[in-house]
Amino acid sequence: MSAISKTILVVEDEKFFLDTLKDKLKESGFVVTEAADGNEGLQAALKTHPDLILVDIVLPQMDGLSVVRELRKDMWGKDAKVIFLTNYPFGEKAGEALNLGVTEYITKANWTLDQIVGKVKEKLEVFGKAYV
């Protein structure tokens, strides 16, 4: 499969889930970078400007909500495409996430990896970025 040449940053501390999701995204042609904690994820996002960021809410160093709050203070980061990928059910945390302007809130237990990859493709296309 030819490269989509869109970069996805995955900020996730659960190693097995991170590796599995990363493999699935790469199989779909994405360039994937990773960070295992919030600080590392924020720095990677600000340095590399990925096309989309998948971020967990519960992370070491800095939680995902704080990562996005800090990201939104940056000129590039204020419009960055972010999908929360978390074990928190849709509720209080989702409301806070949506107030930060995230693109989507996905509860991991309710989605397959193929569905997550499909949502990534959909969001990149919806926002004018072709992924063919």
Side-chain angles (χ1 to χ4, degrees):
M1 175 175 275
S2 63
I4 293 172
S5 74
K6 298 294 178 198
T7 303
I8 309 300
L9 169 61
V10 182
V11 186
E12 172 63 62
D13 64 326
E14 293 177 29
K15 183 74 171 133
F16 177 77
F17 184 76
L18 170 65
D19 290 344
T20 309
L21 178 58
K22 188 172 61 172
D23 289 347
K24 190 59 105 169
L25 288 164
K26 285 180 177 179
E27 284 173 17
S28 296
F30 291 103
V31 175
V32 182
T33 57
E34 65 183 81
D37 67 56
N39 277 336
E40 185 183 333
L42 177 61
Q43 296 311 311
L46 293 173
K47 182 178 180 184
T48 64
H49 296 179
D51 294 290
L52 189 136
I53 304 164
L54 290 167
V55 63
D56 194 358
I57 288 181
V58 179
L59 292 166
Q61 307 296 321
M62 176 188 293
D63 70 29
L65 293 165
S66 297
V67 169
V68 177
R69 262 190 233 101
E70 290 302 311
L71 188 64
R72 295 300 187 222
K73 295 177 184 177
D74 179 77
M75 185 61 98
W76 170 83
K78 68 183 177 69
D79 296 320
K81 293 172 192 66
V82 177
I83 294 177
F84 272 115
L85 193 56
T86 184
N87 284 319
Y88 273 107
F90 196 85
E92 178 186 329
K93 297 287 183 187
E96 194 173 344
L98 296 174
N99 285 337
L100 291 170
V102 298
T103 307
E104 190 80 31
Y105 186 98
I106 295 174
T107 305
K108 293 176 193 174
N110 299 337
W111 291 65
T112 66
L113 290 174
D114 287 332
Q115 289 173 318
I116 293 168
V117 171
K119 184 58 72 175
V120 167
K121 289 178 178 180
E122 174 191 315
K123 292 305 177 183
L124 288 173
E125 181 181 47
V126 164
F127 291 99
K129 301 235 179 193
Y131 60 86
V132 214

